[in-house]
Amino acid sequence: MTTPTALAPLAPRTAEVSRNTAETQITVKVNLDGTGKASLSTGIGFFDHMLDQIARHGLIDLDIQAKGDLHIDGHHTVEDVGITLGQAVAQAVGDKKGLRRYGHAYVPLDEALSRVVVDFSGRPGLDMHVPFKSGMIGSFDSQLAYEFFQGFVNHAFVTLHIDNLKGDNAHHQAETVFKAFARALRMALEIDPRAAGVIPSTKGSL
């Protein structure tokens, strides 16, 4: 009778990426197998609050330190954080062997309800429908949520569908979107013990 072979311990899925331009200076550190710890400083309070949702509900340890040209507006900072986070996640994911690949989540907050679906497909694509009821949420321009997710998908190489199904309060709309994004990421990034060492695609690569 043979003894079952124990699965090899998973290599740490961590990454650190820096992006320095004339507009922003950003460093992102991620641990995809973390506990939801976050250290966040972007200069935009509500944006930090949303990034904290990604860490907490995605169980991703996240350290984001960003300085940007906020005297102009938050556009460059939010977009470039999305880009840098996407690069860090792509680096930490590696070859995607054993990855569940797909993730989805519905998250409510009072009257608001959002659905997010993600596929670590290797093909960047964003389809986002969020009719924000306010242009500003604190010092955060609600239009920049799209720029954040566009930057992320372009550099994490994922397909991402975001739909706010209900909502009358822009804070609630945004929070359900970011929480659902975190939960979908958490599902997609899990390692499937039934597919250990296998790339989840009939093409053999992602």
Side-chain angles (χ1 to χ4, degrees), residues 4-206:
T5 304
L7 290 174
L10 192 67
R13 296 193 297 170
T14 61
E16 178 175 349
V17 176
S18 293
R19 176 181 174 86
N20 294 292
T21 72
E23 299 167 340
T24 60
Q25 298 81 50
I26 299 168
T27 298
V28 172
K29 300 176 186 176
V30 298
N31 177 0
L32 302 184
D33 303 298
T35 58
K37 294 184 296 185
S39 176
L40 306 164
S41 179
T42 66
I44 306 171
F46 185 77
F47 187 39
D48 286 350
H49 181 46
M50 293 301 97
L51 294 171
D52 194 29
Q53 305 307 319
I54 296 175
R56 189 73 54 87
H57 293 279
L59 291 183
I60 297 169
D61 290 347
L62 199 54
D63 185 333
I64 298 178
Q65 305 301 314
K67 293 182 179 179
D69 52 2
L70 297 181
H71 61 286
I72 297 174
D73 65 11
H75 191 288
H76 299 140
T77 298
V78 173
E79 180 180 29
D80 287 5
V81 166
I83 290 171
T84 313
L85 178 59
Q87 291 171 333
V89 168
Q91 184 175 315
V93 166
D95 62 12
K96 303 178 186 175
K97 287 182 179 178
L99 203 68
R100 289 198 187 277
R101 175 178 167 177
Y102 300 101
H104 63 272
Y106 285 82
V107 169
L109 174 57
D110 296 343
E111 88 298 342
L113 174 66
S114 292
R115 176 186 62 215
V116 174
V117 184
V118 65
D119 174 14
F120 275 78
S121 59
R123 299 181 304 278
L126 175 63
D127 189 83
M128 180 172 171
H129 300 279
V130 183
F132 282 112
K133 298 301 175 70
S134 175
M136 297 298 295
I137 311 170
S139 61
F140 180 80
D141 182 348
S142 60
Q143 295 182 92
L144 298 184
Y146 181 91
E147 303 304 328
F148 168 79
F149 288 115
Q150 185 70 75
F152 179 84
V153 302
N154 284 347
H155 294 270
F157 303 105
V158 302
T159 301
L160 184 63
H161 287 255
I162 299 173
D163 292 282
N164 173 239
L165 305 175
K166 297 178 181 180
D168 296 318
N169 179 290
H171 185 129
H172 295 171
Q173 290 175 289
E175 191 161 332
T176 56
V177 163
F178 276 84
K179 284 179 176 177
F181 173 66
R183 288 279 173 169
L185 274 186
R186 178 175 168 180
M187 180 187 293
L189 289 169
E190 284 182 346
I191 297 300
D192 184 351
R194 296 180 61 194
V198 177
I199 292 174
S201 171
T202 54
K203 295 190 294 291
S205 64
L206 283 170

